[in-house]
């Protein structure tokens, strides 16, 4: 099902590109700016089984994106500058922001040199438990379990299901089934417990993953000293805020910010919702971010920035630079706003 969805999206992007419709639609749909969403930036891997590949792009593709944006005459700005422009309604020139979620070490090792080459500011949203080395990147842990297993057992609706994982196709199907099952659980703590059980059975050290992949506080202090870098908050544990009580959601948002500010000795004025789709971040969470004093908060809802978004600074959409679609011809479609407009039914603002 996931592969079918990817194929449909790819076909839609191709249709917009080869028809040239995106050129005609750009003046109408490109808005005043865009906030790009990224996670990993690192060299391509050869593994056939990469279920989380959508979360990574290569340094070369990042260079292509930056060159393309510059060629459009778009200003690449920090989130502070984007906030100023939206607050002051300064839309004389289009702008783009680059944002990276989670705080991965490859943002420093592979993204930063590319951003420096283009003098492009960017924001990294840090989950404080990841920087602490105590968090759990359960989606990575699940991938590693299935990569080494020939089968895994899960308990769903009281019944034990054995998922075949003997080859790459079977592993992909098993990952998707297990991922879908985990999304039905009541809380993030329960998700982490179940994945930790799988890790224990299959010899994967899930506790070591954040220390392997994410920047520590000392690393972040050095990284944040670069004038191109802004550090934003991303909750304490990278939880689905909509699943949490109001008190816990506030603790996650405020606690992440306070921890970052204490460790880095600089303000963390910007926030990104983990799992920032409609059912994970909505009116309650948008209001919380506003009441907690965040200047901006970004979702994972697709969309360009329009003047109307200035009224919803804690519900900002982003354009995903998805690793499944690292094709040069798609860049013009993505920056035209045509693809996200079609996704949103041509609504300019989706902040409900």
């Amino acid at each position: 099902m996931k592969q079918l969805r990817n194929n449909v999206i790819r076909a839609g992007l191709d249709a917009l590109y080869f028809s040239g419709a995106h050129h005609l639609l750009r003046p109408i749909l490109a808005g005043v700016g865009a906030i790009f969403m990224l996670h990993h930036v690192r060299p391509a891997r050869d593994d056939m089984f990469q279920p989380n590949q959508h979360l990574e792009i290569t340094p070369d593709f990042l260079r292509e994106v930056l060159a393309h944006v510059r060629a459009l005459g778009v200003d690449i700005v920090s989130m502070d500058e984007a906030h100023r422009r939206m607050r002051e309604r300064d839309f004389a020139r289009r702008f783009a922001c680059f944002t990276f979620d989670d705080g991965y070490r490859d943002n420093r090792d592979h993204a930063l040199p590319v951003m420096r080459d283009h003098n492009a500011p960017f924001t990294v949203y840090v989950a404080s438990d990841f920087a602490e080395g105590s968090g759990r990147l359960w989606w990575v842990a699940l991938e590693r379990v299935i990569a080494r297993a020939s089968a895994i057992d899960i308990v769903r609706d009281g019944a034990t299901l054995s998922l075949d994982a003997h080859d790459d196709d079977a592993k992909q199907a098993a990952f998707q089934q297990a991922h879908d099952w985990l999304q039905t659980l009541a809380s993030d703590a329960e998700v982490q417990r179940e994945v930790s059980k799988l890790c224990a059975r299959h010899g994967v050290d899930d506790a070591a993953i954040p220390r392997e992949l994410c920047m520590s506080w000392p690393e972040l202090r050095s990284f944040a000293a670069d004038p191109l870098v802004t550090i934003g908050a991303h909750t304490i544990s990278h939880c689905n805020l909509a699943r949490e009580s109001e008190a816990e959601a506030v603790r996650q948002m405020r606690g992440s910010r306070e921890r970052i500010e204490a460790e880095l000795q600089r303000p963390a004025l910007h926030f990104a919702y983990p799992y920032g789709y409609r059912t994970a971040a909505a009116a309650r969470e948008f209001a919380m971010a506003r009441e907690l004093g965040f200047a901006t908060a970004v979702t994972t809802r697709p969309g360009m920035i329009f003047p109307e978004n200035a009224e919803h600074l804690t519900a900002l959409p982003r354009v995903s630079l998805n690793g499944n679609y690292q094709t040069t011809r798609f860049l013009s479609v993505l920056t035209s706003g045509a693809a996200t407009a079609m996704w949103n039914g041509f609504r300019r603002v989706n902040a409900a």
Side-chain angles (χ1 to χ4, degrees), residues 161-241:
L161 300 177
S162 183
L163 304 180
D164 177 30
H166 79 280
D167 63 16
D168 292 328
D169 288 341
K171 289 180 188 298
Q172 187 64 55
F175 181 90
Q176 195 57 52
Q177 283 186 265
H179 189 280
D180 291 348
W181 159 63
L182 290 166
Q183 295 306 291
T184 69
L185 302 182
S187 69
D188 287 285
E190 192 173 347
V191 169
Q192 293 182 7
R193 276 197 304 272
E194 293 297 331
V195 174
S196 290
K197 289 179 188 176
L198 286 170
C199 288
R201 288 200 293 270
H202 294 277
V204 171
D205 185 358
D206 57 331
I209 292 173
R211 296 191 295 274
E212 173 193 339
L213 296 180
C214 298
M215 286 180 278
S216 65
W217 291 121
E219 290 174 303
L220 282 165
R221 280 192 282 275
S222 174
F223 180 64
D226 192 290
L228 293 176
V229 174
T230 298
I231 302 296
H234 200 38
T235 73
I236 297 171
S237 64
H238 197 278
C239 65
N240 183 330
L241 288 167

Side-chain angles (χ1 to χ4, degrees), residues 57-71:
I57 65 169
T58 66
D60 285 344
F61 186 65
L62 179 57
R63 285 189 186 92
E64 289 187 48
V65 176
L66 289 163
H68 173 77
V69 171
R70 292 284 195 208

Side-chain angles (χ1 to χ4, degrees), residues 57-131:
I57 65 169
T58 66
D60 285 344
F61 186 65
L62 179 57
R63 285 189 186 92
E64 289 187 48
V65 176
L66 289 163
H68 173 77
V69 171
R70 292 284 195 208
L72 291 172
V74 173
D75 296 339
I76 299 176
V77 304
S78 67
M79 285 301 297
D80 285 338
E81 174 62 11
H83 174 248
R84 184 198 69 78
R85 292 189 186 196
M86 286 186 280
R87 189 185 67 246
E88 297 179 7
R89 305 286 177 147
D90 177 6
F91 302 131
R93 288 181 57 83
R94 294 189 64 241
F95 66 86
C97 298
F98 284 78
T99 64
F100 298 72
D101 288 7
D102 300 341
Y104 296 112
R105 189 171 288 110
D106 56 57
N107 295 174
R108 178 198 67 189
D109 295 346
H110 297 294
L112 178 57
V114 176
M115 303 304 279
R116 280 175 174 163
D117 287 346
H118 288 265
N119 193 31
F122 62 106
T123 297
V124 175
Y125 298 106
V126 172
S128 53
D129 273 358
F130 294 171

